[in-house]
Amino acid sequence: MNNIAIWDQVFKENEWGKYPSTPVIRFIARNFYGEKNRGKIKILEVGSGVGANLWFCAREGFSVIALEGSEIAVNRMTKRFEDEGLLHTLIDTKVGDYFNTLDEIEDESIDAIIDVESLYCNSFIRTKEVIEKCFEKLKPNGVMLSLTFADKSWGFTGGECDYHAVFPEDGPMSGKGFSRYTTKNDIEKLYKLNDNKIERIEKQEYYYNQNNVIKEWIIEIKKLSVKEGRI
C-alpha cells in the first residue's frame, strides 16, 4: 500500500486535524497580518490533510489552495469550509500527488506555501524536486514554511529503506508508511536554492511519558527578488 492509500485510510478512520499548528499561526502573523487586502494573498499547502491550517488562513481572510493526496481528507475540508461560510476563500483543491498537481499552479502566483509534516513522506530526492517546484510557484519575496521530523525522533529508528528513511514500527508514525527524517546538515541540501534564502531554523520537541520525544524542524525560506541578488 502506498502512502496516499495509507493516509486515505487514516483520514477515514480518525477525526483529527481540526486546528492549526502554532508555528503556522506565527508564520502567517509575522508575514501577512500587516496586509490591508488579505483576500489578494494566496496561500498554498502541500499535503493539506483535512485543512486545519488552511481553515485558519481562510478565517483570517486569506485566499487558499489545497494540494492533497487523500480525496477523503479534501472532501472533509471542503464540507467544513462550506458549513462555516468559507468556500469563497478556497480558490482551488487538487487531489493527487502534489509532485504532479503543483504543475497545474501558475508560476510566480503564490505568496506563501505551507508544509506541515507532509514532505517527510517523500524520499530525499523527491522532496528536493518538490521544493524546487514550490519555489517556481512562489512570487518573488514569497515565503515557505516547512515543519519536518528531525533525526532521533521517536520511531525513526531501525534499518533504513532509503536515505534517512524508515518504516516506523513504534511511535505516532507507526503503520503510516514511508517516513523520512531530516538532519541539520540535510536542511541546506534540501531547501537552499539559487533563488532563495533560509531565513529561520528552529526546533521543537514533544515529550511523551518523559521517555519518548518527537523532534521537529521549523524552517522558513524566502524567495529572493532579482534586486536581492538571485544566483
Side-chain angles (χ1 to χ4, degrees):
M1 185 181 293
N2 62 33
N3 269 28
I4 288 179
I6 290 171
W7 281 99
D8 224 15
Q9 192 65 26
V10 169
F11 290 124
K12 182 178 180 180
E13 296 176 352
N14 295 274
E15 183 72 25
W16 65 350
K18 286 190 174 182
Y19 300 101
S21 169
T22 299
V24 171
I25 297 172
R26 291 173 177 165
F27 170 75
I28 296 299
R30 181 164 49 244
N31 287 286
F32 300 111
Y33 269 16
E35 293 290 336
K36 293 182 179 179
N37 190 345
R38 293 186 179 184
K40 289 187 176 181
I41 301 297
K42 296 180 182 178
I43 299 172
L44 179 150
E45 184 169 13
V46 290
S48 53
V50 295
N53 299 309
L54 295 183
W55 167 82
F56 159 73
C57 295
R59 282 175 59 90
E60 293 298 310
F62 302 105
S63 297
V64 299
I65 299 171
L67 305 188
E68 167 58 42
S70 168
E71 187 171 5
I72 290 173
V74 170
N75 289 342
R76 188 177 296 174
M77 177 196 69
T78 303
K79 185 178 186 307
R80 185 183 188 187
F81 274 54
E82 183 178 9
D83 290 346
E84 298 191 21
L86 296 171
L87 271 183
H88 65 285
T89 70
L90 187 57
I91 297 175
D92 200 1
T93 61
K94 297 186 183 298
V95 177
D97 187 337
Y98 48 67
F99 177 77
N100 299 317
T101 56
L102 273 167
D103 293 336
E104 301 174 35
I105 304 299
E106 181 183 353
D107 287 354
E108 297 195 343
S109 65
I110 305 298
D111 296 281
I113 294 178
I114 298 171
D115 154 52
V116 177
E117 297 303 355
S118 180
L119 288 177
Y120 86 93
C121 293
N122 297 273
S123 70
F124 187 91
I125 293 173
R126 177 50 63 89
T127 299
K128 179 74 172 176
E129 293 171 340
V130 171
I131 291 169
E132 289 172 352
K133 288 190 177 189
C134 285
F135 277 88
E136 291 174 0
K137 307 309 169 184
L138 280 175
K139 298 176 182 177
N141 296 314
V143 285
M144 179 175 182
L145 171 71
S146 182
L147 274 64
T148 194
F149 291 118
D151 49 313
K152 300 180 181 178
S153 282
W154 181 22
F156 286 72
T157 56
E160 293 193 354
C161 60
D162 196 27
Y163 177 75
H164 289 173
V166 298
F167 288 91
E169 298 179 356
D170 193 18
M173 304 318 298
S174 175
K176 295 183 175 68
F178 181 96
S179 300
R180 179 184 50 78
Y181 63 84
T182 298
T183 66
K184 180 70 180 295
N185 289 336
D186 287 340
I187 293 175
E188 184 159 344
K189 296 175 184 177
L190 280 172
Y191 295 91
K192 182 68 184 77
L193 304 175
N194 291 337
D195 63 349
N196 72 13
K197 176 184 178 182
I198 299 174
E199 295 209 307
R200 188 184 305 264
I201 300 173
E202 299 175 354
K203 183 189 278 187
Q204 61 186 6
E205 300 182 350
Y206 301 94
Y207 286 83
Y208 296 78
N209 300 323
Q210 298 183 341
N211 296 318
N212 300 309
V213 57
I214 295 293
K215 301 183 179 184
E216 189 175 49
W217 295 113
I218 306 169
I219 306 159
E220 293 186 27
I221 317 100
K222 177 184 177 182
K223 182 171 181 176
L224 300 175
S225 65
V226 174
K227 290 182 179 180
E228 290 175 300
R230 298 188 192 184
I231 298 173

